[in-house]
Structure formats: structure tokens, C-alpha cells
């Protein structure tokens, strides 16, 4: 057996994320054949198979992040029988059924019955009525002594007449002698209850208004309201939730008055309204809080997709935010005439392809002019460490490459030692290996200056964010023909905007503009002998 491990892609890399397996369990693999893809905070790469044989087991599924040197798979020798069943059963599978049980337990937390999973079908139903006993804590708001009183039936008969005399609306429902505890549990259906006993005496309009949703009846019971007194705007005159809420908001002063008799049935309800005005506010706030969660329901929508960031995207996001917090960003923009460069490129393009197999683009010319400018103004090739400025003698230029899965900046090391042909080869090689995920970690580190080229997408110019710990980044706009004025005449020239974002902590505006002027002169008067 051969273990497939998570490789260490660099000294600073401690973990990696598997993004895709290119082989399934049971598939034949050849040594050095791409086996799976990984993503780190530095680079994405394809990992080859360490041996030939049959992929016997996949231990780490796509999307999982594991430390380096972790065994992520097993390759069996050629000819050995491989059972695919165990490899296909990831540990995450059993956890899926456990999740519904966990949620059912969360719904049935009031009782211990949800503990056994077989009883879960019955558990969700009984806990629904259990909230009703939660309402009796309202009687404790009465005198603490009579608290046990509501439980005993004998005390109920003398108390029932008093609510009947004070509130004629409730006479039909409380008429059958009921204990105060029952009266506390009845309020939810109490408003429709009278309609059941006296439905024959109601008019058609009253019957339509009484027929409402459970939510409306619950709110009416909490506020001691008679639904028949509320004008309905629903179908056939039904009272909607909005109707009853508008009715409550329109009469805020009346809500406290009827409320006190309900929690205090034992004492005379006539004396309760006067001393109880302070108690209604907490009770009134409770029903108002109930409808408030309603607007949160529409947040769950099938038209929203939540996708976790890839490691390279998370690293880019952190790096960009850090740069904006660290450097004092300033951007200067120059318009540069690229006509001479365009002419030289057309003149030598075929020769470069035939002689070296290299496609000659504008980038090698821009790199050459930038290198000369960095030599003239080395502060643009420096960095900040605390209160010190570190001038770097090596010119390592990073070239931003846009990929389908993010942005990466491979570095051309010792760029000042290369001619135009060498720069062209380096640019093409790094870009091609970046897109095929074959870059090494040390090829995306150690840059001292960065160039980004949004012009390939048609952008005139932008204000790029500095790649820390560098102090400047050059952005190249689209290179295109424009009408310009030359020697008091209108001419058509190949033009482009170049934008330099620099760290104003150590780079003055005058130095930045001199740097850009040096690049402009180098491109507009490009030395043909450099080719």
C-alpha cells in the first residue's frame, strides 16, 4: 500500500484544502499522473500520484482542510482487489440523519421524552400544548398567597360570577363553571368560543368576522378583544392580522384597561383596573414582540446561494483589507503614447516567434521601462518595517494574473538581469503555469514591485491596491488608438493610461511623478537596441 499525503508546498505552508479528486475509488492511476487538486493560502496546485496502482481509499473529501503530511488517500498495488464500498462511505453520512433528530430535540426540549429517538414522532406533538401551562405564571403576578388557590376547584365558583358581572361579553363561555387555571388556558380560543354557543343568534356579518385565523384569535385573546368589534378587510369580511394589529395600535390606552381583570380573577376586577396601569406595559410588549419575528421569515429564500470563500479568495480579502489599513494610498495617472512600442512590437513579433517561440506582447516593453525607473528612483522598490525604510537591491517584479478562481501574483525574480526576450519568456511561462496550477510557492513570494493589467478587460485605468509589504503598484489601462493633438494637428496615436498607487508614508508625490515620467519617456523613446 502507498499512502497519499498532503504535501508541504512551502516553508510557510502548514495546511492545505483538497478542492477536487481527479480519480475515484477503484480507478487505475499511474505514477506522476495528476491525482487531486489542493488550494493553499499561497497557491493552487495539482498533486501527482506517488505510485502506480489502484486508488483504494479516499480519506479526505473535497472541501476539507488538513495539516501537511496527513494521509488523504491510499493506493493499492496493481493487481490487488479493491473494495469500493468502504471508501464511498464518508464519516459525514451518518451525521446527516442525526441532524434531524437534533432539531426535533430542540423543538421538544420542554420534556425529557425527546431523548429517545423512537419517540420523536410523538414528542413534537405533546410539547405543543405544554406552552399553555407556561401562561399560569401570570397568576403569580396576583397576591402570592392565593397562588395555590387557582389550583383548587372550590375557589373557582365564587370568582367566576365577578368576571361575568364586569364583562358581559364573556358570559356565554365562562358560564360552565371552570377553574381559574382553566380560564387561564382558555383565553387563546376564548374569542371564538362564544360564537360556538350563540352562533345561531349572530348575524351573517358577525359570523363572517368571527371566522378568522388562529393567529388573529390568539392576538385577540392576549389583548382581551372581541373579534366581532373589529372591522374586517379580508375575504367575506374576515378579520386579518393587519386588521387586529391596526385596531390595537389605534387604541393603545384601551389595551391596559381590560387586561388587568384577566390575570387577577380572584380579587374584584372593578378595583383592579385603577391600580394596575403599570403592569400592562410588560404584558403589552409581549404581544407586540410576537409579531416582530414575522418579517424575518422572508429572509429564507431559494433565490439566494451562499458559497464559502476558497482559501485563495479569503487570503486575497485579508491581504487587501490589511493593505488599505496599512498604507496611505495615493494614485497618480499618466497618459502615455505607446505608438513607438506598437511599431517595434509589430516589427519584431514574427521574428521572436520564429526564433524563440515567444509571443511578443506589450508587457516586456513595460517591464523594461519600469525596471529602468526603479533603478533611477529606488524608493519605489523599498518597504517599511516599523520606523525604518528597507531599500531592496533585488528587483523582483510581480505580475498579477487573473484566474477563474481568484487572483495570483507570480514573481519574476532578478528582472533587472533579463533583456526583453528573457522578460517575454518569463511572463509567458509564469502566466501559463499559473492558469494550469503548476506554480511553486516560492514563485509567488518575495516581490518588490507589482504590475497589474486591467486594460486587457477594456478598463481605461484604475486605482490598484498596494501589494504589501511593497510601497507601489502600477496599473496599465487599455492600449488603443485615439485622436490626439501633435504639433497643432490632430493625429491618431496608440495611447494608454498608466496609474501608479503609492504609499504616501515614504513616497512623496514628486517622487511618484518623476517615476512615472521616467516610464513615459522610456516607452515613448524606447531603445530599439534593447530588442
Amino acid at each position: 500500500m502507498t499512502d497519499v499525503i498532503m504535501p508541504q508546498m512551502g516553508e510557510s505552508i502548514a495546511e492545505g484544502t483538497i478542492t477536487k479528486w481527479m480519480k475515484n475509488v477503484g480507478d487505475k492511476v499511474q505514477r506522476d499522473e495528476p491525482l487531486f487538486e489542493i488550494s493553499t493560502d499561497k497557491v493552487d496546485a495539482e498533486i501527482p500520484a506517488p505510485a502506480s496502482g489502484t486508488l483504494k481509499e479516499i480519506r479526505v473529501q473535497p472541501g476539507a482542510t488538513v495539516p501537511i503530511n496527513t494521509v488523504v488517500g491510499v493506493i493499492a498495488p496493481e493487481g490487488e482487489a479493491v473494495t469500493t464500498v468502504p471508501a464511498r462511505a464518508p464519516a459525514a453520512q451518518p451525521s446527516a440523519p442525526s441532524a434531524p433528530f437534533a432539531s426535533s430535540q430542540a423543538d421538544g426540549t420542554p420534556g425529557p421524552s425527546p431523548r429517545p429517538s423512537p419517540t420523536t414522532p410523538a414528542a413534537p406533538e405533546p410539547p405543543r400544548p405544554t406552552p399553555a401551562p407556561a401562561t399560569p405564571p401570570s397568576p403569580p403576578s396576583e397576591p402570592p398567597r392565593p397562588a395555590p388557590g387557582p389550583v383548587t376547584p372550590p375557589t373557582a365558583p365564587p370568582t367566576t360570577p365577578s368576571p361575568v358581572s364586569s364583562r358581559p361579553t364573556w358570559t356565554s363561555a365562562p358560564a360552565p363553571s371552570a377553574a381559574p387555571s382553566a380560564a387561564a388556558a382558555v383565553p387563546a380560543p376564548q374569542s371564538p368560543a362564544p360564537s360556538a354557543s350563540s352562533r345561531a343568534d349572530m348575524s351573517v356579518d358577525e359570523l363572517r368576522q368571527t371566522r378568522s385565523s388562529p393567529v388573529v384569535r390568539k392576538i385577540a385573546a392576549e389583548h382581551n378583544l372581541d373579534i366581532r368589534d373589529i372591522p374586517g378587510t379580508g375575504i367575506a369580511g374576515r378579520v386579518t392580522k393587519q386588521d387586529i394589529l391596526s385596531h390595537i395600535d389605534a387604541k393603545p390606552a384601551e389595551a391596559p384597561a381590560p387586561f388587568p381583570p384577566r390575570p387577577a380573577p380572584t380579587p374584584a376586577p372593578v378595583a383592579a383596573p385603577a391600580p394596575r396601569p403599570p403592569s400592562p406595559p410588560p404584558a403589552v410588549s409581549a404581544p407586540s414582540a410576537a409579531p416582530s419575528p414575522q418579517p424575518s421569515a422572508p429572509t429564507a429564500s431559494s433565490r439566494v446561494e451562499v458559497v464559502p470563500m476558497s482559501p485563495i479568495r479569503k487570503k486575497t480579502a485579508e491581504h487587501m483589507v490589511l493593505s488599505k489599513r496599512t498604507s496611505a494610498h495615493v494614485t497618480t495617472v499618466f497618459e502615455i503614447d505607446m505608438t513607438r512600442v506598437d511599431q517595434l512590437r509589430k516589427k519584431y513579433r514574427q521574428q521572436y516567434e520564429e526564433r524563440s517561440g515567444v509571443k511578443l506582447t506589450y508587457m516586456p516593453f513595460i517591464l523594461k521601462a519600469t525596471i529602468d525607473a526603479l533603478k533611477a528612483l529606488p524608493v519605489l522598490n523599498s518597504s517599511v518595517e516599523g520606523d525604518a525604510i528597507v531599500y531592496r537591491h533585488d528587483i523582483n517584479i510581480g505580475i498579477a494574473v487573473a484566474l477563474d478562481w481568484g487572483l495570483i501574483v507570480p514573481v519574476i525574480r532578478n528582472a533587472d538581469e533579463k533583456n526583453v526576450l528573457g522578460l517575454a519568456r518569463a511572463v509567458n511561462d509564469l502566466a501559463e503555469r499559473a492558469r494550469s496550477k503548476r506554480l511553486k510557492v516560492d514563485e509567488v513570494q518575495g516581490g518588490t514591485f507589482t504590475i497589474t493589467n486591467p486594460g486587457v478587460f477594456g478598463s481605461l485605468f484604475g486605482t490598484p491596491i498596494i501589494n504589501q509589504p511593497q510601497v507601489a503598484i502600477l496599473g496599465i489601462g487599455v492600449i488603443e488608438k485615439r485622436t490626439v493633438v501633435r504639433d497643432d494637428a490632430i493625429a491618431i496615436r496608440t495611447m494608454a493610461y498608466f496609474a501608479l498607487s503609492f504609499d504616501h508614508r515614504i513616497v512623496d508625490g514628486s517622487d511618484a511623478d518623476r517615476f512615472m515620467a521616467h516610464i513615459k519617456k522610456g516607452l515613448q523613446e524606447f531603445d530599439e537596441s534593447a530588442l
Side-chain angles (χ1 to χ4, degrees):
M1 300 291 180
T2 302
D3 290 337
V4 181
I5 65 171
M6 173 64 70
Q8 184 173 11
M9 300 300 295
E11 294 182 359
S12 61
I13 304 298
E15 62 183 14
T17 301
I18 293 182
T19 57
K20 181 175 68 173
W21 282 92
M22 300 177 181
K23 298 289 184 179
N24 296 320
V25 174
D27 290 350
K28 301 290 184 181
V29 296
Q30 297 295 326
R31 182 182 177 88
D32 296 330
E33 179 184 7
L35 183 59
F36 61 98
E37 290 183 0
I38 68 169
S39 178
T40 69
D41 58 0
K42 298 292 185 183
V43 68
D44 292 355
E46 294 179 350
I47 306 303
S52 298
T54 304
L55 184 58
K56 179 179 181 180
E57 183 181 357
I58 293 178
R59 296 187 181 179
V60 179
Q61 298 299 322
T65 301
V66 295
I68 59 173
N69 298 325
T70 299
V71 177
V72 298
V74 177
I75 296 178
E78 295 181 1
E80 180 176 332
V82 175
T83 305
T84 60
V85 176
R88 296 284 183 172
Q93 292 281 18
S95 65
S98 66
F101 290 113
S103 62
S104 64
Q105 290 176 4
D107 296 337
T109 48
S113 59
R115 175 78 57 157
S117 58
T119 59
T120 48
E125 296 303 329
R128 302 296 178 176
T130 55
T135 55
S138 58
S141 62
E142 311 167 13
R145 306 179 207 81
V151 181
T152 59
T155 59
T159 57
T160 49
S162 57
V164 171
S165 60
S166 63
R167 185 175 298 275
T169 310
W170 298 81
T171 53
S172 58
S177 58
S181 60
V186 170
Q190 196 142 3
S191 59
S195 65
S197 60
S198 58
R199 190 175 295 272
D201 300 333
M202 294 183 183
S203 65
V204 176
D205 186 56
E206 288 176 333
L207 284 171
R208 288 174 177 174
Q209 291 181 331
T210 304
R211 292 167 57 191
S212 56
S213 67
V215 176
V216 173
R217 293 195 293 271
K218 181 176 183 293
I219 297 175
E222 290 175 349
H223 290 268
N224 284 344
L225 298 175
D226 190 346
I227 296 179
R228 291 173 295 178
D229 298 337
I230 302 173
T233 61
I235 300 175
R238 286 170 60 100
V239 178
T240 64
K241 179 182 174 183
Q242 186 60 38
D243 293 336
I244 192 169
L245 293 179
S246 301
H247 182 78
I248 294 171
D249 294 340
K251 299 182 178 181
E254 295 180 5
F259 197 86
R262 184 166 62 91
T266 307
V270 178
R276 291 300 176 96
S279 63
V284 172
S285 62
S288 63
S292 61
Q294 297 291 349
S296 63
T299 56
S301 173
S302 60
R303 298 185 64 82
V304 175
E305 181 182 6
V306 179
V307 179
M309 289 187 181
S310 64
I312 190 173
R313 174 54 58 195
K314 287 191 291 186
K315 193 66 177 178
T316 301
E318 295 171 1
H319 196 61
M320 294 299 97
V321 173
L322 172 65
S323 180
K324 292 294 288 185
R325 291 176 179 172
T326 302
S327 298
H329 280 69
V330 180
T331 304
T332 182
V333 180
F334 272 55
E335 186 178 26
I336 299 178
D337 190 340
M338 298 288 290
T339 303
R340 176 163 176 78
V341 170
D342 184 58
Q343 293 171 348
L344 292 174
R345 173 176 169 268
K346 292 177 180 178
K347 179 179 179 179
Y348 288 92
R349 180 171 53 187
Q350 184 176 356
Q351 179 179 341
Y352 268 58
E353 291 181 0
E354 293 176 353
R355 184 181 64 184
S356 307
V358 175
K359 184 178 179 180
L360 186 60
T361 64
Y362 291 108
M363 185 57 69
F365 296 91
I366 297 171
L367 280 168
K368 178 63 174 150
T370 302
I371 292 168
D372 294 341
L374 290 172
K375 290 179 180 178
L377 290 121
V379 69
L380 275 298
N381 197 55
S382 65
S383 62
V384 179
E385 292 186 5
D387 296 333
I389 302 175
V390 179
Y391 290 89
R392 305 190 181 279
H393 299 295
D394 293 331
I395 298 180
N396 302 328
I397 299 184
I399 306 295
V401 178
L403 306 173
D404 293 339
W405 54 91
L407 181 69
I408 195 168
V409 185
V411 177
I412 302 176
R413 295 188 174 274
N414 301 316
D416 55 321
E417 298 177 0
K418 294 178 171 58
N419 57 14
V420 174
L421 176 60
L423 293 172
R425 281 177 173 167
V427 169
N428 294 340
D429 174 64
L430 290 175
E432 190 274 330
R433 288 195 290 116
R435 295 186 178 95
S436 60
K437 299 182 179 180
R438 292 186 291 110
L439 285 176
K440 300 177 182 178
V441 174
D442 58 355
E443 292 177 324
V444 295
Q445 295 177 338
T448 60
F449 187 88
T450 299
I451 296 178
T452 181
N453 185 16
V456 296
F457 302 106
S459 172
L460 288 177
F461 64 87
T463 56
I465 298 176
I466 299 171
N467 187 11
Q468 296 296 324
Q470 302 167 18
V471 297
I473 179 172
L474 180 64
I476 305 167
V478 61
I479 301 175
E480 60 183 359
K481 292 185 179 295
R482 301 178 194 144
T483 56
V484 296
V485 177
R486 290 290 184 267
D487 300 327
D488 293 334
I490 296 177
I492 298 177
R493 311 286 288 181
T494 302
M495 308 293 294
Y497 291 107
F498 283 49
L500 178 74
S501 292
F502 58 94
D503 190 345
H504 211 339
R505 293 180 300 169
I506 62 171
V507 180
D508 295 331
S510 57
D511 290 336
D513 289 338
R514 280 199 294 268
F515 176 81
M516 291 297 290
H518 202 292
I519 292 178
K520 181 175 182 177
K521 181 179 180 180
L523 290 173
Q524 293 185 165
E525 302 175 4
F526 197 89
D527 185 5
E528 188 174 357
S529 62
L531 298 172

